Amino acid sequence: MAAHGLVHTYELSIPILMTVWLTEFSVTAAVLGAVVTVGYGLFGAGALPGGLLVDRLGSRRLIVGCLFGMGLAFFGLALAPSLAGIAVTLALWGTAASVYHPAGLALISNGVDPDRRGVAFGYHGMAGNAGIAFGPLAAAVLLLVADWRVVAAALGVLSIAAGVVGLSADFDETAGIEAADGADGDGENGNGADGDDATRDDADSDATTIRSLGDFLAGSRRVFTAGFTLVFLVVLCNGLFYRGMLTFLPELLREFLLAAVGDVRLGIFAPDSPLAEEFDVSRYVYVGLLTAGIAGQYTSGRLLDRIEPERGLATVLFLLTVIAVAFVPLAAAGVLPLLAVSAALGFALFGIQPFSQATVAAYSPPESRGLSFGFTYLGIFGIGALGATIVGVVLTYAAADAAVFLVLAAVALAGCTLATVLLRRDLRP
């Protein structure tokens, strides 16, 4: 839970820090977008090899390594002398963070009693949501009283502390497998030892299936059916929209809020106050948008019991298309419409995740589900990181901010179209 929350704390604190970097380094949005794409891209690209390493090294080593790596990367970020240094340290963060999701999900799957696994996944998701919402809030508040380098170092301390706890904690990361083996043996064979041996042999066989490049290619061919290929393209569109929208959104919100209500700092702080210089209301609107995503995830999770995941996926992508098209006109209509459309965006943007994960599970073979989710995170966070570059280029060279939202609307509409094809054709394995 600590690692999951911190991964997303760092991921979504970066856009908050970008509002400072744009000014301090006198850089265009296109260049800064390319810089952060490096780190975000590695965050996704490392998920696939990370998933393969889990079976060989175990979850504890990878999660602890992830925590120490992220902490050290943010210490390095605090010392970065230039934009090139920021690119290098963000690349280190992305590499370290990339192993978390396969390692964390494997730890819960293998280490928690099967009867309580659902509860564990629920707490795990709540921790991630807390990092998504309150990590950027912590960064925004700290920027009121400290330089961004101090903020980066302070965030790094959290991960190092969690890594120390991970080294000293006492737990069995295969306890869930052992519990399941015992239940199978007692229930099916009337002999715990026989059932235990049979089940463990199956588990060991599955865990060590991919031993070479040939095994990896064979497993990949088994995963990429026609249905899963369409699913992968859908989640790729989702990843491009997600990263493209969130990376520069604090800066866009700042412009919209200035146009709607002016500089609110003048009504709160003295003009020469240090707090007036650092206070940026757009950061808090951004945090509110992310917080609305918690309700979106909860709602989608409940709806999964009633509708097909493909239908939910297509519906949310259509909603994101509509929200993206309507965002700029509503933002121009005043502060209340801006807040409303921001909340709707956060609700839908994170509400898509349960539908996406359930769809991946439905279109992937059980024996290759880990590999399937490795490819999924590669698409969402790895290739999807190009969304930051795309939006940065559009912001730099387009005549109006509306162009950004129209480009992102087109991406969401493409994903909606592909999800509709999944819904109407019988492509499940």
Side-chain angles (χ1 to χ4, degrees):
M1 286 175 64
H4 194 205
L6 286 168
V7 163
H8 290 298
T9 290
Y10 296 130
E11 177 203 1
L12 291 170
S13 294
I14 291 170
I16 296 292
L17 296 173
M18 286 173 64
T19 63
V20 180
W21 296 338
L22 280 168
T23 302
E24 179 160 332
F25 294 101
S26 300
V27 65
T28 65
V31 172
L32 189 56
V35 166
V36 299
T37 294
V38 175
Y40 282 144
L42 289 171
F43 177 37
L48 191 56
L52 300 178
L53 286 173
V54 170
D55 292 333
R56 294 184 175 274
L57 301 179
S59 295
R60 179 202 289 268
R61 291 181 182 178
L62 290 181
I63 294 175
V64 170
C66 164
L67 288 165
F68 281 116
M70 291 193 302
L72 292 174
F74 263 66
F75 280 130
L77 184 63
L79 300 173
S82 64
L83 200 61
I86 289 176
V88 171
T89 52
L90 289 183
L92 294 175
W93 168 80
T95 302
S98 68
V99 303
Y100 175 71
H101 283 95
L105 295 174
L107 179 59
I108 294 174
S109 298
N110 298 336
V112 176
D113 189 307
D115 292 336
R116 298 189 57 78
R117 194 172 290 156
V119 177
F121 276 119
Y123 282 125
H124 179 260
M126 290 170 62
N129 286 338
I132 286 169
F134 301 115
L137 176 61
V141 171
L142 288 172
L143 284 171
L144 288 175
V145 296
D147 182 75
W148 71 266
R149 297 180 184 276
V150 176
V151 173
L155 292 174
V157 170
L158 298 176
S159 194
I160 297 296
V164 171
V165 173
L167 285 175
S168 59
D170 181 20
F171 60 89
D172 178 4
E173 64 180 88
T174 62
I177 296 176
E178 294 166 1
D181 288 350
D184 290 343
D186 293 338
E188 294 179 14
N189 300 334
N191 184 318
D194 292 343
D196 184 86
D197 291 342
T199 309
R200 184 172 291 110
D201 287 345
D202 291 341
D204 289 346
S205 177
D206 289 342
T208 57
T209 296
I210 298 178
R211 300 170 179 265
S212 65
L213 178 60
D215 290 339
F216 171 73
L217 294 175
S220 300
R221 286 194 295 270
R222 189 165 56 247
V223 166
F224 273 92
T225 60
F228 185 82
T229 300
L230 276 177
V231 172
F232 180 79
L233 293 174
V234 173
V235 299
L236 177 57
C237 290
N238 177 32
L240 289 169
F241 186 98
Y242 173 89
R243 188 62 67 207
M245 181 64 77
L246 289 184
T247 301
F248 285 97
L249 193 56
E251 187 65 23
L252 292 168
L253 287 172
R254 174 191 288 173
E255 297 177 13
F256 293 139
L257 286 165
L258 280 174
V261 296
D263 193 346
V264 298
R265 295 177 297 180
L266 300 180
I268 301 175
F269 305 104
D272 56 349
S273 168
L275 290 177
E277 182 179 350
E278 296 298 334
F279 182 80
D280 188 344
V281 69
S282 66
R283 296 170 182 167
Y284 302 95
V285 175
Y286 179 72
V287 170
L289 180 154
L290 298 176
T291 305
I294 298 175
Q297 291 213 32
Y298 175 80
T299 303
S300 296
R302 296 299 297 269
L303 287 174
L304 266 173
D305 293 332
R306 303 180 182 182
I307 64 174
E308 310 99 308
E310 301 96 329
R311 187 179 301 278
L313 196 57
T315 300
V316 178
L317 283 165
F318 179 74
L319 289 175
L320 288 172
T321 303
V322 173
I323 291 169
V325 171
F327 200 99
V328 172
L330 288 173
V335 65
L336 291 180
L338 171 60
L339 295 177
V341 75
S342 296
L345 174 62
F347 184 92
L349 189 60
F350 290 95
I352 199 173
Q353 291 182 5
F355 292 123
S356 174
Q357 293 165 355
T359 303
V360 170
Y363 285 82
S364 59
E367 68 275 9
S368 300
R369 197 145 287 157
L371 186 60
S372 301
F373 276 104
F375 278 115
T376 297
Y377 283 108
L378 171 64
I380 294 176
F381 291 137
I383 304 173
L386 292 173
T389 298
I390 292 170
V391 170
V393 170
V394 174
L395 276 175
T396 300
Y397 298 106
D401 292 340
V404 169
F405 291 90
L406 292 177
V407 168
L408 292 174
V411 172
L413 184 60
C416 176
T417 303
L418 293 170
T420 303
V421 173
L422 280 174
L423 181 63
R424 293 184 177 180
R425 299 185 63 183
D426 184 13
L427 296 174
R428 289 197 185 195

